[in-house]
Amino acid sequence: MIWDLLIAPFADFGFMRRALLGCVAVSVGATPVGVFLMLRNMSLTGDAMAHAILPGAAIGYLVSGLSLGAMTIGGLIAGMVVALASGFVARVTSMREDASLAAFYLISLALGVLIVSTKGSNVDLMHVLFGTVLALDNAALILLCSFASLSVFALAVLFRPLVLECADPQFLRSVSKLSAITHFAFLALVVMNLVGGFHALGTLMAVGIMILPAAAARFWASGIAGLIAVAALIAVLSSIIGLLLSFHYSLPSGPAIILVAGVGYCLSLIFGPVGGAIAQSLPRRTYET
Amino acid sequence: MTATLSFEKLTLGYDRLPAVQQLNTEIAQGSLTAVVGPNGAGKSTLLKGVTGALTPIEGCVTINGFCEKDIAYLPQQSSIDKSFPMSVIDLVAMGLWREMGAFGRLSRAMKSRVSDALAAVGLTGFENRAIGSLSGGQMQRALFARLLLQDAKLVLLDEPFTAIDAKTMADLIKVIKNWHAEGRTVLAVLHDYDMVGTHFPETLMLARELVAHGPTAQVLTAENQFRARQMCEACAGVPHVCGKAAA
């Protein structure tokens, strides 16, 4: 019974195993980035970036069809251009970075939708928006795993400046010239993870696996290491449960995974020991450490 | 006495509106100087000019004998996100950035220096507390510990004692006096004239322009204070646009 429910889908079907590997890679790569997005109060930046990569992927599709490489490179370029342009505008004009990012991602999104709808069919649009986690080929899997590894490695290297950039940016600027580099490298990681994620979950759902587990983790851990570990765990569990639900009930897998993560967030909100609804309402003892 | 800092015709401002105008003076090496003046006199602006965060509209700041990295600066409103999940020891240890950089490790010797710095500001035992749980005074102590570890030749403090209890203030003044005894140059923006009179040998009074600079007893006279207030009130209503367009 339990075997049929939990193990058999993965044991019997290759596409389920591939989907699982793809989702685990995306989870491990994207959630630490999501934790930092949340800590920098930039949760919605992930969303904006996801929209920004659409025209790049669309142009890649126009140039060479449903090609993994072309769509990946297109998405990376579009994301980087929007990130750099909005960062640049924020630094040389009086425009704040969030407003400038909003302006550029909206332009980028409109361009993307225009390209996809004039040249592509609806099926293609659905592919870009919602991903094809059940049809990941070897090349896509290698890409997802490489992006995840690269992301985790880059984050480990950048960790200290990034923490300081979040916690005390003024101090970082006073002791080091790494502030701008750290900021753009971090945005590059966001873009990279979203591009990787869109092959599996689509541009819109890729943000979900980045942000929802991070937001949920906030109710379980208070240190950065704990946040990252819990967020990655929630993302992986959501992937497994979401894939199983989509298998047994014939649901689209991307939204199923994100919805499970969403349920995880709501449960954390209620039951989480760190500032969750129940923990907040219980009388607490104060103690010295 | 050699000068650590010299200001020549220094004009600093925002959007070409000068906040400090035509400042000519020198800060001696190893001096302990209070920067005083009415609100809007350009005290904080002057410190930003020294750190290099603000480029002079005219004139220049010359730093003698060391580079910008040897400056430690405590801004009036620190940009610290207190909700960030970080412990006191992590925050304070960042004072060692110059030595360990972005990628170096925190050695055993460095750890013991961090403990010493925490002890010097009376925060022993707070190592693993989240920065979000600190009171205003405790946070200021932690920031002073970080300054201690920066081991800077020039220390710039912008209103370090705003909204701080008397005990914390007394402890932190001891830290400042230690810096002075060690031969470091300290420049502190303050508004409490009693404290300046008691603890700071030199005073620089600003009211956009220089009012007076020298031994505190000679600068903090009723006449100078009156003149500074008048100068600030006189120019408050009419901002002078300067820069190339007006020249």
Side-chain angles (χ1 to χ4, degrees):
Chain A
M1 176 66 188
I2 288 179
W3 172 268
D4 285 341
L5 213 57
L6 303 180
I7 312 291
F10 296 115
D12 297 345
F13 298 98
F15 72 88
M16 284 293 280
R17 284 198 294 277
R18 291 165 169 279
L20 183 64
L21 176 58
C23 288
V24 168
V26 170
S27 301
V28 171
T31 47
V33 173
V35 167
F36 276 99
L37 275 176
M38 179 189 65
L39 290 176
R40 298 184 71 182
N41 303 319
M42 284 168 61
S43 299
L44 291 175
T45 299
D47 200 37
M49 282 297 174
H51 290 84
I53 62 181
L54 188 62
I59 292 170
Y61 171 75
L62 276 190
V63 173
S64 46
L66 265 180
S67 139
L68 181 79
M71 289 174 74
T72 302
I73 292 168
L76 286 176
I77 292 175
M80 298 297 177
V81 166
V82 168
L84 285 174
S86 56
F88 178 74
V89 166
R91 274 168 176 72
V92 298
T93 70
S94 58
M95 184 74 124
R96 286 174 54 97
E97 182 148 3
D98 61 336
S100 136
L101 178 64
F104 279 107
Y105 103 73
L106 288 168
I107 295 170
S108 189
L109 178 64
L111 195 63
V113 172
L114 192 82
I115 294 171
V116 171
S117 48
T118 49
K119 298 288 181 183
S121 65
N122 279 339
V123 179
D124 302 326
L125 183 63
M126 293 301 275
H127 166 80
V128 174
L129 289 180
F130 301 115
T132 48
V133 70
L134 298 181
L136 292 172
D137 57 14
N138 281 347
L141 278 181
I142 290 172
L143 183 87
L144 292 184
C145 291
S146 311
F147 274 9
S149 311
L150 191 59
S151 172
V152 169
F153 178 73
L155 213 54
V157 171
L158 274 179
F159 192 77
R160 190 180 291 159
L162 192 57
V163 164
L164 207 49
E165 171 80 13
C166 301
D168 193 352
Q170 209 169 17
F171 180 74
L172 179 64
R173 257 170 269 151
S174 79
V175 293
S176 159
K177 296 197 173 14
L178 288 173
S179 172
I181 298 173
T182 304
H183 181 66
F184 284 116
F186 178 66
L187 286 181
L189 283 182
V190 173
V191 171
M192 193 178 82
N193 278 294
L194 289 173
V195 171
F198 99 70
H199 289 300
L201 302 168
T203 57
L204 297 181
M205 295 296 123
V207 198
I209 205 73
M210 193 176 259
I211 299 296
L212 276 172
R218 197 92 217 234
F219 295 104
W220 298 100
S222 47
I224 298 180
L227 283 172
I228 292 176
V230 173
L233 185 71
I234 292 175
V236 171
L237 283 178
S238 306
S239 302
I240 297 171
I241 298 171
L243 282 173
L244 287 171
L245 285 176
S246 89
F247 179 84
H248 290 301
Y249 299 99
S250 314
L251 301 170
S253 47
I257 292 168
I258 304 306
L259 273 177
V260 172
V263 169
Y265 171 73
C266 293
L267 291 177
S268 307
L269 192 70
I270 298 166
F271 299 107
V274 186
I278 290 179
Q280 288 283 50
S281 63
L282 289 177
R284 272 179 299 176
R285 280 194 298 162
T286 52
Y287 44 87
E288 283 289 310
T289 45
Chain B
M1 278 283 239
T2 49
T4 277
L5 279 175
S6 41
F7 307 120
E8 278 171 60
K9 287 190 174 175
L10 181 68
T11 301
L12 293 161
Y14 310 91
D15 283 338
R16 297 194 302 147
L17 296 177
V20 172
Q21 238 168 350
Q22 296 288 330
L23 181 65
N24 285 302
T25 190
E26 288 184 338
I27 305 291
Q29 192 195 327
S31 62
L32 174 54
T33 310
V35 180
V36 299
N39 287 334
K43 306 177 297 270
S44 303
T45 310
L46 180 65
L47 294 198
K48 283 183 202 159
V50 176
T51 61
L54 208 57
T55 317
I57 296 172
E58 204 194 328
C60 61
V61 181
T62 317
I63 305 167
N64 298 316
F66 53 88
C67 60
E68 260 178 27
K69 280 192 157 186
D70 288 311
I71 302 175
Y73 170 51
L74 181 65
Q76 185 173 10
Q77 262 154 8
S78 91
S79 60
I80 292 183
D81 174 5
K82 283 186 83 174
S83 68
F84 195 87
M86 191 181 210
S87 61
V88 171
I89 198 164
D90 288 336
L91 176 76
V92 172
M94 286 304 130
L96 293 167
W97 185 283
R98 260 180 64 201
E99 286 164 62
M100 64 183 179
F103 316 114
R105 77 187 192 92
L106 193 65
S107 67
R108 194 179 284 258
M110 285 175 176
K111 274 184 194 153
S112 81
R113 277 167 61 202
V114 174
S115 302
D116 291 348
L118 282 169
V121 297
L123 279 186
T124 304
F126 284 72
E127 286 84 350
N128 296 318
R129 284 271 287 267
I131 55 171
S133 71
L134 296 183
S135 71
Q138 289 165 341
M139 186 57 150
Q140 202 67 353
R141 285 172 190 260
L143 293 176
F144 264 71
R146 189 171 73 177
L147 286 172
L148 273 170
L149 289 172
Q150 279 184 269
D151 193 22
K153 293 194 174 111
L154 173 61
V155 183
L156 307 172
L157 308 168
D158 196 349
E159 296 279 14
F161 305 127
T162 312
I164 296 288
D165 59 289
K167 175 76 174 70
T168 303
M169 204 184 300
D171 286 353
L172 296 182
I173 282 180
K174 269 186 220 151
V175 174
I176 295 178
K177 290 199 153 173
N178 257 332
W179 281 327
H180 183 51
E182 286 165 0
R184 303 177 204 273
T185 313
V186 181
L187 208 58
V189 171
L190 294 165
H191 62 267
D192 180 346
Y193 287 168
D194 289 339
M195 176 196 285
V196 174
T198 328
H199 301 288
F200 288 75
E202 302 272 320
T203 297
L204 191 162
M205 191 182 283
L206 266 184
R208 294 204 184 186
E209 294 163 47
L210 183 67
V211 177
H213 180 199
T216 297
Q218 290 168 32
V219 173
L220 278 190
T221 59
E223 191 199 338
N224 276 341
Q225 292 179 34
F226 180 69
R227 203 155 70 87
R229 265 201 304 278
Q230 276 198 321
M231 282 163 72
C232 259
E233 279 161 17
C235 56
V238 224
H240 301 273
V241 175
C242 71
K244 279 173 194 145

